[in-house]
């Protein structure tokens, strides 16, 4: 009955062994990178979480290992009206700046998606704001928003339309920061959208035009379907990065006027470096980190980064 259960030839068992060897080689190659990644991300994150569970203050060294009330900072944050205001300002700034960046990046990319040497040459010029150091961008906009030295304010005065400084107006200061943030980072979206536009095949576009679709219908049902994953990725990246809009706020408004531009990360900075409440500031940072992970998980669950063709 040996023919009912023939031994597998050696040639068929070899790939399984080769596959295991390949997996071990991949793991051995990735292991150093995983160790380094864990060292520079997980360990600081765990340290941050640990500090957030203590009332650590640099003026009171005895609070370093005080875990007697691990949730004290988080309970205090629930009652902190200034923290609640900073969260609302953060949401306002992130939603405004990311929305403007996506709209500006998409619009400029559509305009530059022309196969001509002139347009290919000027694409690089749009990338200049993105490669400038954040402090340089902040200084540029500080000059533009200061009426005494701003050429923009001078032109408006010459035209008989003088305006006050936007960064000293409590209702407009957050918008002024959003405009500066958009100017610096809309090229990122433009670059991603432009690359995606050049990968769209011609066949569905030509088929839609033959079927009588107008430009708006072609854009809505075909081009936008291809661009949606790129726009979602850009929005997610820029949303996460908008939480780090610290240089602009520090240079332009220093969190003011009053607390008009005191977003969450800036409030955490004040608690840590102005008042030395490191445990409280760490709790703020942990909540911000949790918010970023929640948004990333939600985008993945909703499937906004998947391609759908109508």
């Amino acid at each position: 009955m040996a023919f009912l259960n023939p031994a597998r030839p050696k040639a068929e068992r070899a790939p399984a062994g080769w596959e295991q060897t390949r997996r071990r080689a991949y793991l051995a190659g990735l292991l150093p990178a995983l160790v380094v990644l864990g060292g520079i991300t997980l360990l600081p994150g765990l340290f941050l979480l640990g500090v957030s569970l203590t009332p650590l203050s640099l003026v009171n060294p005895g609070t370093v290992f005080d875990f007697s009330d691990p949730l004290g900072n988080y309970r205090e944050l629930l009652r902190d009206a200034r923290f609640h205001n900073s969260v609302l300002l953060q949401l306002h700034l992130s939603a405004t700046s990311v929305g403007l960046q996506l709209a500006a990046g998409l619009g400029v990319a559509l305009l530059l998606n022309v196969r001509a040497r002139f347009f290919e040459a000027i694409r690089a010029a749009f990338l200049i704001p993105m490669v400038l150091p954040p402090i340089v961008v902040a200084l540029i906009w500080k000059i533009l928003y200061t009426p005494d030295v701003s050429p923009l304010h001078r032109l408006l005065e010459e035209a008989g339309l003088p305006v006050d400084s936007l960064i000293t107006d409590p209702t407009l200061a957050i918008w002024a920061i959003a405009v500066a943030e958009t100017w610096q980072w809309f090229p990122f979206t433009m670059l991603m959208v432009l690359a995606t536009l050049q990968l769209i095949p011609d066949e569905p576009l030509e088929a839609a035009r033959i079927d009588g679709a107008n430009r708006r219908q072609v854009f809505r049902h075909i081009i936008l379907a291809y661009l949606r994953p790129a726009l979602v990725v850009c929005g997610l990246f820029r949303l996460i990065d908008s939480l780090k809009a610290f240089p602009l706020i520090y240079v332009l408004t220093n969190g003011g006027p009053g607390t008009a531009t005191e977003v969450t990360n800036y409030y955490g900075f004040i608690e840590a470096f102005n008042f030395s409440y490191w445990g409280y500031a760490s709790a703020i940072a942990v909540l911000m980190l949790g918010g970023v992970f929640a948004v990333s998980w939600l985008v993945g669950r909703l499937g906004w980064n998947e391609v759908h063709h109508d």
Side-chain angles (χ1 to χ4, degrees):
M1 299 297 290
F3 67 93
L4 295 177
N5 187 21
R8 299 179 63 185
K10 293 183 180 179
E12 295 181 2
R13 291 196 298 268
W18 179 83
E19 184 67 25
Q20 292 178 356
T21 303
R22 189 179 68 165
R23 289 179 179 177
R24 284 196 294 269
Y26 284 163
L27 182 60
L30 287 174
L31 191 58
L34 293 175
V35 171
V36 173
L37 184 63
I40 62 176
T41 57
L42 292 181
L43 290 182
L46 292 175
F47 179 75
L48 180 72
L49 179 61
V51 173
S52 73
L53 303 178
T54 71
L56 175 61
S57 172
L58 295 184
V59 298
N60 187 3
T63 58
V64 175
F65 297 107
D66 183 2
F67 290 96
S68 59
D69 186 12
L71 298 180
N73 290 324
Y74 295 96
R75 284 200 305 272
E76 187 63 28
L77 283 173
L78 292 177
R79 299 190 294 265
D80 190 346
R82 192 170 174 180
F83 171 70
H84 299 164
N85 181 63
S86 74
V87 173
L88 293 177
L89 286 173
Q90 183 70 69
L91 293 175
H92 182 191
L93 177 63
S94 296
T96 305
S97 62
V98 173
L100 290 175
Q101 289 170 44
L102 293 179
L106 175 62
V108 175
L110 291 173
L111 290 175
L112 294 180
N113 187 34
V114 179
R115 294 173 182 173
R117 290 185 178 182
F118 172 74
F119 289 99
E120 292 176 356
I122 65 173
R123 286 172 190 169
F126 284 92
L127 302 179
I128 293 176
M130 191 173 65
V131 299
L132 291 175
I135 194 69
V136 174
V137 174
L139 289 174
I140 291 173
W141 285 93
K142 182 73 172 181
I143 293 172
L144 289 175
Y145 286 145
T146 303
D148 292 338
V149 295
S150 171
L152 182 60
H153 280 270
R154 295 287 178 86
L155 288 175
L156 291 174
E157 287 179 1
E158 293 294 330
L161 299 170
V163 294
D164 297 329
S165 176
L166 298 179
I167 55 177
T168 59
D169 189 325
T171 59
L172 298 177
I174 196 73
W175 288 94
I177 292 174
V179 169
E181 176 91 351
T182 301
W183 179 81
Q184 183 182 13
W185 288 112
F186 88 86
F188 176 77
T189 302
M190 181 202 76
L191 201 61
M192 296 286 286
V193 171
L194 197 55
T196 307
L197 283 171
Q198 295 178 352
L199 293 176
I200 297 176
D202 293 332
E203 289 79 4
L205 300 175
E206 294 174 357
R209 294 187 183 108
I210 291 174
D211 290 341
N214 55 35
R215 290 186 177 182
R216 185 181 62 82
Q217 292 170 327
V218 169
F219 174 77
R220 178 184 175 186
H221 296 289
I222 298 179
I223 296 177
L224 197 57
Y226 278 97
L227 293 181
R228 188 166 62 178
L231 291 173
V232 170
V233 171
C234 290
L236 186 58
F237 271 90
R238 294 309 314 146
L239 180 63
I240 295 172
D241 210 41
S242 68
L243 302 178
K244 301 183 296 183
F246 183 83
L248 282 173
I249 297 174
Y250 185 79
V251 174
L252 291 179
T253 64
N254 202 20
T259 58
T261 58
E262 191 180 86
V263 296
T264 309
N265 68 345
Y266 199 83
Y267 180 51
F269 165 79
I270 291 174
E271 291 291 333
F273 294 96
N274 288 12
F275 303 132
S276 295
Y277 295 146
W278 284 54
Y280 197 66
S282 298
I284 294 174
V286 169
L287 291 182
M288 291 180 64
L289 191 61
V292 170
F293 281 126
V295 171
S296 303
W297 175 82
L298 184 62
V299 170
R301 291 285 297 177
L302 293 177
W304 291 348
N305 55 345
E306 298 175 357
V307 180
H308 299 282
H309 303 284
D310 296 335

